Amino acid sequence: RFCLQTAASDYLCRLLSKTNIILRMKKYNLLNNSIGWLMFAIAAFTYLMTIEPTASFWDCGEFISQGYKLEVGHPPGNPIFMLAARFFINFSSDPSTVAVCVNVMSALLSAATILLLFWTITHLVRRLLVKDDADEFSWQQFAIIFGSGVAGALAYTWSDTFWFSAVEGEVYAFSSFCTALIFWLILKW
């Protein structure tokens, strides 16, 4: 710190200190967003490489055909899922690829769930490790915050149950995304 002890220089030092805090927070936010989108890319690649080429057993075929024809399904019907499926079905060039489009939707929504899970974990771990009035983080804190987010996101990405639901045209991926989005928005509020 090269500040002289005068009123003007004291004000300038405080201003520079606040600027450094803002820059450090921007660096944290940039790193948090970059790693989060990397988790999205890893999850999306994993799920898109392993999607079902057609309809699976159970309700998947029913949901795919309901999205294609915009029909009412068995209770509770899942109308928002049907509209989202219909949006992705519009990218289909042939009726034989309708199932793939709905399965891609599930894969991308599951990858977005992983992105939101990463951001939720880093937010919560940061609140545990760093005091609210702290202006900077140590490298150990950075490592713990981002390591926790990466470990949690990748563990959930490759968990059997979530992966199984992520690659088929079922409502679970859509429901997981909506739940993760609402929880993340609650934290941001």
Side-chain angles (χ1 to χ4, degrees):
R1 221 166 138 172
F2 300 104
C3 295
L4 302 172
Q5 297 302 321
T6 65
S9 65
D10 188 41
Y11 172 76
L12 185 61
C13 284
R14 280 189 274 131
L15 184 64
L16 289 174
S17 176
K18 287 181 183 178
T19 305
N20 283 337
I21 292 168
I22 292 169
L23 289 176
R24 281 192 290 264
M25 289 309 296
K26 283 187 179 182
K27 183 178 177 183
Y28 171 84
N29 289 335
L30 177 68
L31 199 55
N32 191 34
N33 290 336
S34 300
I35 297 173
W37 283 107
L38 177 65
M39 295 298 103
F40 172 85
I42 291 170
F45 178 78
T46 300
Y47 299 147
L48 290 172
M49 290 296 109
T50 58
I51 62 170
E52 295 280 340
T54 61
S56 303
F57 289 117
W58 27 91
D59 295 338
C60 299
E62 180 184 0
F63 286 131
I64 291 168
S65 66
Q66 289 167 5
Y68 184 58
K69 299 282 187 177
L70 283 180
E71 297 172 346
V72 177
H74 68 273
N78 306 302
I80 305 296
F81 176 83
M82 294 302 133
L83 292 174
R86 182 62 187 172
F87 174 76
F88 276 84
I89 287 170
N90 287 330
F91 295 108
S92 175
S93 60
D94 181 19
S96 65
T97 60
V98 165
V100 173
C101 291
V102 176
N103 293 340
V104 165
M105 177 192 75
S106 289
L108 292 176
L109 287 172
S110 295
T113 302
I114 298 302
L115 168 70
L116 294 169
L117 176 66
F118 173 82
W119 284 342
T120 299
I121 292 171
T122 56
H123 179 85
L124 293 174
V125 172
R126 181 175 161 222
R127 299 267 319 228
L128 285 172
L129 286 181
V130 181
K131 295 180 182 177
D132 289 337
D133 58 347
D135 348 358
E136 58 187 54
F137 305 104
S138 68
W139 285 107
Q140 293 86 3
Q141 289 171 325
F142 266 108
I144 291 170
I145 291 168
F146 293 121
S148 299
V150 168
L154 291 180
Y156 199 55
T157 297
W158 294 318
S159 66
D160 182 55
T161 305
F162 189 74
W163 192 345
F164 188 76
S165 297
V167 296
E168 62 184 8
E170 195 40 274
V171 295
Y172 303 121
F174 191 81
S175 175
S176 295
F177 171 74
C178 291
T179 304
L181 178 64
I182 289 171
F183 191 75
W184 180 73
L185 288 172
I186 288 169
L187 290 176
K188 295 310 277 184
W189 183 32

